């Protein structure tokens, strides 16, 4: 487990270790080291209720990697806006994109000081490309776009990444509005890569309800058709909205029911 992390300027970040944090718990489930005891306890409690959570976490990460690879290799995207970045792990957005196209430019957005401290320390660009880090809340898409414009040319297509983030916006109308405002500001040919948790498994639903009652920032599991609503006005790339392991898989999904909780898709703005 991590000690209190250093901020980018070498000072302390003032991280709150009294309540669980979704980015740190996700890091714990993925086998990382950047979490505290409160996160381990919450993560273990969730796993007791829903033993497939680590499989789900890996499935979500795998979708992110494959969708970014698709955007860079097949859709020709060279600019990426990754909102709700989470803690760095293997195959972060800029690493996947810049392997395919070293000139890719990536802006990471989060409002968690631990995430930003680690991102600035670890997520370094290729010489040909660029990375930047924006401290902003998902609820403020205008601020995100204004800050991202320092690094990205918003008159050219952008790949927007929302990986497991919109569940933190409890109001569905507000969540849809955020997506719409982001995509409306970008030109034709921009893409949205989005995956989020669905309310398809009773065990996962109960585990999430208990987690939400812990004092941590809540995360809402939604009906699959509501997740589909985030892509209104976009052209879905084949195979459409599916469980994350079934989106252009590198290998055959295992068939574990946990794979049916996180759903993902990529949509293109016409």
């Amino acid at each position: 487990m991590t000690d209190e992390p250093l901020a980018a300027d070498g000072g302390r970040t003032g991280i709150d270790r009294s309540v669980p944090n979704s980015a740190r718990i996700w890091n714990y489930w993925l086998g990382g080291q950047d979490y505290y005891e409160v996160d381990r306890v919450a993560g273990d409690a969730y796993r007791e209720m829903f033993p497939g959570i680590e499989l789900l976490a890996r499935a979500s990460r795998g979708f992110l990697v494959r969708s970014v690879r698709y955007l860079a290799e097949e859709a020709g995207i060279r600019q990426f806006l990754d909102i709700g970045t989470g803690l760095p792990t293997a195959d972060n957005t800029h690493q996947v994109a810049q392997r395919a196209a070293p000139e890719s430019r990536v802006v990471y957005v989060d409002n968690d000081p631990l995430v930003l401290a680690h991102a600035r320390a670890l997520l370094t660009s290729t010489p040909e490309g660029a990375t930047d880090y924006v401290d902003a809340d998902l609820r403020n898409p205008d601020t995100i776009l204004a800050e991202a414009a320092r690094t990205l040319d918003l008159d050219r297509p952008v790949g927007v990444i929302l990986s497991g983030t919109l569940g933190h916006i409890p109001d569905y109308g507000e969540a849809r509005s955020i997506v719409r405002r982001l995509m409306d500001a970008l030109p034709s040919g921009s893409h949205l890569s989005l995956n989020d948790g669905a309310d398809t498994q009773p065990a996962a639903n109960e585990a999430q309800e208990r987690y939400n009652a812990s004092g941590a920032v809540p995360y809402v599991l939604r009906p699959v058709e509501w997740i589909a609503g985030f892509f209104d006005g976009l052209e879905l790339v084949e195979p459409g909205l599916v469980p994350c392991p079934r989106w252009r898989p590198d290998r055959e999904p295992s068939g574990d029911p946990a794979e049916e909780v996180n759903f993902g898709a990529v949509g293109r703005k016409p």
Side-chain angles (χ1 to χ4, degrees):
M1 290 184 294
T2 187
D3 193 1
E4 187 175 0
L6 286 173
D9 62 359
R12 297 291 169 177
T13 62
I15 304 297
D16 184 359
R17 290 184 279 184
S18 65
V19 296
N21 171 279
S22 61
R24 300 191 308 249
I25 294 172
W26 207 254
N27 183 265
Y28 171 58
W29 285 332
L30 287 170
Q33 300 296 317
D34 297 311
Y35 60 90
Y36 300 123
E37 178 66 12
V38 66
D39 306 307
R40 185 195 64 77
V41 171
D44 287 346
Y46 199 116
R47 183 170 50 202
E48 287 178 11
M49 294 292 301
F50 181 59
I53 186 57
E54 276 127 341
L55 177 63
L56 185 152
R58 291 194 297 271
S60 174
R61 192 71 188 184
F63 169 82
L64 170 69
V65 170
R66 296 192 306 278
S67 65
V68 171
R69 190 168 64 211
Y70 164 81
L71 293 176
E73 292 181 353
E74 299 187 44
I77 298 295
R78 297 294 181 264
Q79 304 189 107
F80 297 83
L81 180 58
D82 186 337
I83 304 172
T85 304
L87 284 161
T89 182
D91 282 336
N92 301 286
T93 294
H94 77 287
Q95 293 167 322
V96 177
Q98 291 176 350
R99 274 201 298 268
E103 70 274 23
S104 296
R105 305 175 75 82
V106 179
V107 172
Y108 290 104
V109 181
D110 213 294
N111 65 347
D112 184 319
L114 177 61
V115 168
L116 292 169
H118 280 253
R120 292 190 175 103
L122 299 176
L123 304 184
T124 56
S125 174
T126 58
E128 304 93 331
T131 57
D132 196 10
Y133 319 97
V134 172
D135 183 358
D137 193 294
L138 175 62
R139 293 174 177 83
N140 299 316
D142 295 337
T143 299
I144 290 172
L145 290 164
E147 292 292 315
R150 297 179 308 181
T151 302
L152 308 180
D153 179 356
L154 302 187
D155 292 325
R156 295 173 52 233
V158 176
V160 176
I161 314 297
L162 291 169
S163 182
T165 60
L166 287 175
H168 289 301
I169 307 298
D171 183 85
Y172 180 56
E174 182 183 5
R176 288 190 65 180
S177 174
I178 289 167
V179 176
R180 185 170 58 252
R181 288 161 67 189
L182 287 168
M183 299 308 296
D184 282 352
L186 301 175
S188 173
S190 294
H191 285 66
L192 171 66
S193 165
L194 180 151
N195 77 88
D196 249 313
D199 61 354
T200 53
Q201 297 290 330
N205 296 345
E206 185 173 354
Q208 191 64 54
E209 289 173 4
R210 292 197 179 189
Y211 171 82
N212 291 347
S214 70
V217 177
Y219 184 92
V220 178
L221 300 175
R222 293 188 164 103
V224 176
E225 57 269 26
W226 289 22
I227 297 174
F230 294 133
F231 292 92
D232 283 355
L234 304 179
E235 300 169 345
L236 287 181
V237 173
E238 290 293 334
L241 180 66
V242 294
C244 283
R246 303 184 186 279
W247 197 89
R248 300 186 176 223
D250 294 327
R251 56 182 180 272
E252 190 67 24
S254 71
D256 190 293
E259 294 181 342
E260 307 294 322
V261 174
N262 261 42
F263 282 69
V266 172
R268 180 187 182 277
K269 182 174 180 179

